[in-house]
Structures are given as structure tokens and as C-alpha cells.
Amino acid sequence: MDDYLPSVAFDALQSIALVAGALALMCAAVPFVLPALVPLAFLFAHFRGKYLAATRDVKRFDGTTRSPVFAALGEVPRGLPTLRAYGAQPRFKAAFAGLAGRNLSWWAAFVACARWLGFRLDGVATLALAAEAALIAGLRHRVQPRLAGLALVHGEGEKRRNGRGEVGVRSLKRRPSFLSLAVNLAGAMQWAVRQTAEWEVSMTSVERALELTRLPREPPTRAEGGPPPPPGWPPHGGVDFEGVSAAYRPGLPLVLEEVSFSIPPGSTAGVVGRTGSGKSSLLLTLFRLIPVTSGVVRVGGVDAASLALDALRGAIAVIPQTPTLFSGTLRSNLDPVGAHDDAALWSALEAANMKAAVKRAGGLRAAVTEDAANFSVGERQLLCLARALVADAAVLALDEATANVDAGTDAAIGGALAAARKGGRTLIVIAHRLDTVLGCDQVLVLDDGRLVEAGPPRELTTRAGPFARLAAAAAAAGGGT
């Protein structure tokens, strides 16, 4: 949109101006040619309308199918070691071929539409030129010399030297402007039709950009006029869900339905359930990343919907399943806003068992390369844990943070979380391995967006309920949920 659209618009306007100037000259010089151009203009407009009706949607589908291709090109290289380790290259190659083929099919349709238009415009222009040439030849005696002089386009004079060495013009090439002007006008009109159509079709990119501007905005932050939290909030990190239902968008099925539970301040709650049961959606609701359709979420005894967005999210820290670090320095990743001194950062690194590794890397000023390729997956996860500890949030949430790490990193994360719990933080642990939640104060079992069981883990294992069945299935599968 930023590169292609302006050049097409400029070319279209230039072509329109050229056609208008040529028509004005023909009106003054050879007006009897204009009746032959009227059907030409109508045919051009007719074909342009049919071309636009097809290519507008074709171009839109071309744009929407191109985005997954670029997304795959960005994602697959980062996961090449994993793909090669599991021998999944053929499957991903086939998936990428499907995405590229779908996009290329729409691009081929767009090229076919352009060829369809070009063939018909060339045919119309050829017929028009033949009619104009015959008309001019038949009415050549009716053209006045002064108008013919205006219509004549002079070529370059051919210079020669006479015997005395004087420079003069031996001859002047001329061509009848009736045919020449008609040829130029037909070509200009054809190019104007192509470029104006391309201009209009390319506006689908602007349409998509405008759609993004009309997306619902997030609630305001304090700087944008959002309600500030009460003084001293949060006094503790208790979390309460009271009949909470949520959906990703209006009209979509509920991902959480009438969920109610209470996590006392300073305690630990494990969240388990099968894939798609609503575990991650629970955290998204806590962060107000998806709207609550009914019920109330309370953090520190205050309704989360009544807080400015930055105040709410500042009280909650999250450690995601996929560790994310940004290009820059370790310091900028641990403390993006620069609110803490070096001592606080080193303290968090020590709690996350990453102090020695960071010193080996060069300290807080050490560079983090693109996708943090200079750190292992386990080290990235521990750095994300250190970043969450630096934030000193009242609530610490882990979204299957130990799912992709080895046993040593899992133990390091467990030790850091135990230290965080002693500091008074409330922990919400979405577990991939059931043994991760066995030490929690309570376990929440979700199934299809509903809370089906809650209680201390040792008590739940003695019941013939969903948690006991999950534990049996995990033991049979080797420990995962």
C-alpha cells in the first residue's frame, strides 16, 4: 500500500490528463473524428466495469491468502531444529505448499483477468483505429490547412551542410496527426483504463487498513483517562471469579461458562484440564484480553473491569509457554521501562538461577540476538521468570511454563516459584505435568469451559472424579495432561 498504490495513482492521473489533452486537441483540429471515439469510450467503460467487478474480489482474496504465506516463512525457520528432530519437514513442506498454492491460484486469476481486459481493449482500439483511418482518408479534402498544420506532428529535422559549410535543414519528417493522434489517444485511453482499474483494485489494501482502525479499542490506561486503582492497591494478590462467562468475540461460543472460584492471597492454585478446556482462556480473561460477557473478576478485592488497563496488568505478571525475548540487551528485556536498578535485576536473576549464566554472557549489557538465538530454550524461560520477578507483581501466572523445558529447568523454575510464594505472591499455575500442581494449595479442573472440580490435590486424587481420571491418564501416558 505504501509503495505500489501511490505510483499507480500518479500514473492513472497522468494518463487521464493525457487523454483529456488529446481530446481537446482533436476537438480543435479534426472534430469529425470524435464520433468514432464515442463508441470506443463506451466500450472501454463497459469492459472496465466488468474487469473491476471480478478483480476487486480477486485482489482481496489474493491479499488475505498471502498473509499466511509470509507468516509461515517467518515461523518455520525459527522452528527448524524441532522440525528436523521430529522428522516433520514433509508435513510442514506440504502445508506451506498448500498455502502458497492457494495464494498463487488467486494471483493467476488476477493475471487472467488482466489478460482478458488487455485482449478486449486491444481489439476495440484496433477496430477504432481502422474506422478512424477510413474516415480521415475519405474526408481529407475537408481539412483546412491551418488545422492540418496544428494537427501535424513534426519530426526531427535532418541536418546537413552545404558546399559553403552552412548548416541547414534538408528535410522535415512529417506524419499525419489524424492517424498519429488517434493511435496515441487509443493507447492512452487503454492505459488510463488499466491504471484507473488497478488504482481502484489496489484500494482494497486501504480498505483492509481502515477495517483495522475500526476494531474495538482496549479499555483506556491511566494516561488515557482510565480510572486509577484505589490507594495502596493491591494490598494482596487474591483472585476471585464470580460466575464468569467469556467469549473471544460476540456471537462466538463461550470459552468460559459460569466459572466461580477464589484464590486466597499468597496461595497457589493449579489449573488443569484437557486441551481446549479453557485453561489459557482463564488467564486471558484475568488480563482482560477477551471480554467478560457476565460475572465479575476481582483482583485484590477490586473489580478488574473498574481499573485502568495498565494498573490491572501491572499487578499481574505472566510467564508464557513460549518464552519471548526481544532484540536488545538483557537489561532492556528484564526491565523494559527502566524502573529498577541493577541490584534488583541481579536479585531476580539469582532467584531464577540465571545469575551465573548472565555473567558468562557478559552481564546485563550483553546483547540478545534476534529470537534470542544465543540462549537455550530453558535459559529463555528462566529469563522470562526473572522478568516477572523484577515486575514485583502481586499475582504471578504461569501458562504451562514448564511444558517445553528439561527436568533441570523445571526444577529451577519450581525453586524460584517457591521463593516467590514465600514473598507473599499469589500463584496461578496452568500445568502441563500433573506433578507440577501436586504441591499447590488447590487445583481447579476445567472441562469445556466449565469448572468441574476444585480442591486440594491430595483430596481430589482420592475422589472418583475428573482429576483422578486425569491423573490415571497421565500416569499411563508418562506424566502429561
Side-chain angles (χ1 to χ4, degrees):
M1 183 178 72
D2 295 336
D3 183 34
Y4 183 64
L5 182 59
S7 63
V8 170
F10 177 77
D11 206 4
L13 293 174
Q14 191 177 39
S15 302
I16 293 172
L18 180 62
V19 170
L23 288 175
L25 180 59
M26 291 193 71
C27 287
V30 282
F32 57 81
V33 179
L34 289 178
L37 296 179
V38 173
L40 174 68
F42 275 109
L43 283 174
F44 274 18
H46 172 71
F47 288 133
R48 179 182 182 275
K50 286 186 171 294
Y51 171 75
L52 280 177
T55 54
R56 188 182 294 111
D57 289 334
V58 170
K59 195 72 173 179
R60 184 178 294 111
F61 283 117
D62 171 58
T64 55
T65 56
R66 189 186 299 118
S67 297
V69 175
F70 287 120
L73 284 174
E75 293 172 358
V76 171
R78 291 196 295 269
L80 275 180
T82 303
L83 296 182
R84 290 168 178 165
Y86 286 94
Q89 301 100 312
R91 179 165 61 88
F92 277 81
K93 188 183 296 184
F96 180 78
L99 294 174
R102 192 175 300 113
N103 175 249
L104 289 174
S105 65
W106 286 110
W107 177 250
F110 176 73
V111 173
C113 290
R115 291 299 90 206
W116 179 92
L117 176 68
F119 178 78
R120 280 153 181 78
L121 293 185
D122 286 341
V124 172
T126 301
L127 293 175
L129 287 177
E132 290 163 6
L135 183 61
I136 292 171
L139 299 175
R140 64 183 180 278
H141 299 295
R142 298 182 58 183
V143 179
Q144 299 180 14
R146 59 187 179 86
L147 295 179
L150 173 65
L152 290 177
V153 178
H154 295 276
E156 291 185 356
E158 185 178 336
K159 295 181 179 180
R160 69 176 178 87
R161 290 183 180 271
N162 57 18
R164 295 185 298 270
E166 297 174 347
V167 179
V169 179
R170 184 181 67 181
S171 64
L172 189 65
K173 294 183 179 179
R174 299 169 180 248
R175 51 194 175 122
S177 74
F178 308 119
L179 186 57
S180 173
L181 189 58
V183 170
N184 292 337
L185 181 59
M189 289 183 68
Q190 181 172 342
W191 187 247
V193 169
R194 288 175 181 268
Q195 292 305 96
T196 53
E198 184 66 18
W199 185 8
E200 187 169 343
V201 168
S202 298
M203 289 298 289
T204 55
S205 300
V206 179
E207 177 184 291
R208 295 177 66 195
L210 291 177
E211 287 178 357
L212 294 177
T213 64
R214 290 191 289 267
L215 291 175
R217 293 191 60 187
E218 283 192 324
T221 62
R222 283 173 286 190
E224 296 170 340
W233 181 88
H236 55 75
V239 176
D240 300 287
F241 274 56
E242 300 174 4
V244 173
S245 298
Y248 282 95
R249 283 201 312 269
L252 291 181
L254 295 176
V255 293
L256 293 178
E257 189 172 352
E258 296 293 328
V259 175
S260 299
F261 61 85
S262 179
I263 305 176
S267 64
T268 305
V271 183
V272 298
R274 299 187 183 278
T275 302
S277 61
K279 302 187 300 295
S280 296
S281 300
L282 191 72
L283 286 189
L284 296 180
T285 305
L286 182 62
F287 278 92
R288 292 175 66 185
L289 288 171
I290 59 175
V292 173
T293 58
S294 64
V296 178
V297 178
R298 300 185 187 277
V299 179
V302 177
D303 185 359
S306 66
L307 297 168
L309 200 60
D310 58 333
L312 171 66
R313 294 178 180 173
I316 309 169
V318 63
I319 304 173
Q321 178 178 356
T322 303
T324 301
L325 297 175
F326 303 96
S327 300
T329 64
L330 280 170
R331 187 180 221 295
S332 65
N333 276 274
L334 295 175
D335 185 19
V337 298
H340 301 82
D341 56 17
D342 289 357
L345 302 186
W346 283 115
S347 176
L349 289 170
E350 185 175 7
N353 294 312
M354 276 296 292
K355 186 175 181 178
V358 170
K359 284 185 176 181
R360 287 195 303 269
L364 297 176
R365 308 297 175 184
V368 177
T369 61
E370 185 177 358
D371 296 327
N374 53 334
F375 292 95
S376 68
V377 175
E379 289 174 334
R380 293 177 218 165
Q381 195 67 277
L382 291 174
L383 287 173
C384 289
L385 174 59
R387 180 169 57 197
L389 297 177
V390 168
D392 197 25
V395 179
L396 183 58
L398 290 84
D399 187 2
E400 298 189 357
T402 61
N404 300 319
V405 299
D406 54 24
T409 305
D410 192 356
I413 292 176
L417 293 180
R421 181 182 174 186
K422 291 179 181 178
R425 292 184 178 90
T426 300
L427 269 61
I428 302 176
V429 182
I430 294 179
H432 177 73
R433 303 184 180 97
L434 285 184
D435 54 4
T436 305
V437 302
L438 293 179
C440 295
D441 298 315
Q442 64 171 316
V443 172
L444 310 174
V445 184
L446 295 178
D447 184 25
D448 198 20
R450 297 181 178 88
L451 181 64
V452 295
E453 196 173 31
R458 291 187 178 181
E459 178 182 329
L460 295 182
T461 54
T462 60
R463 301 178 187 172
F467 185 77
R469 290 194 294 271
L470 282 175
T481 59

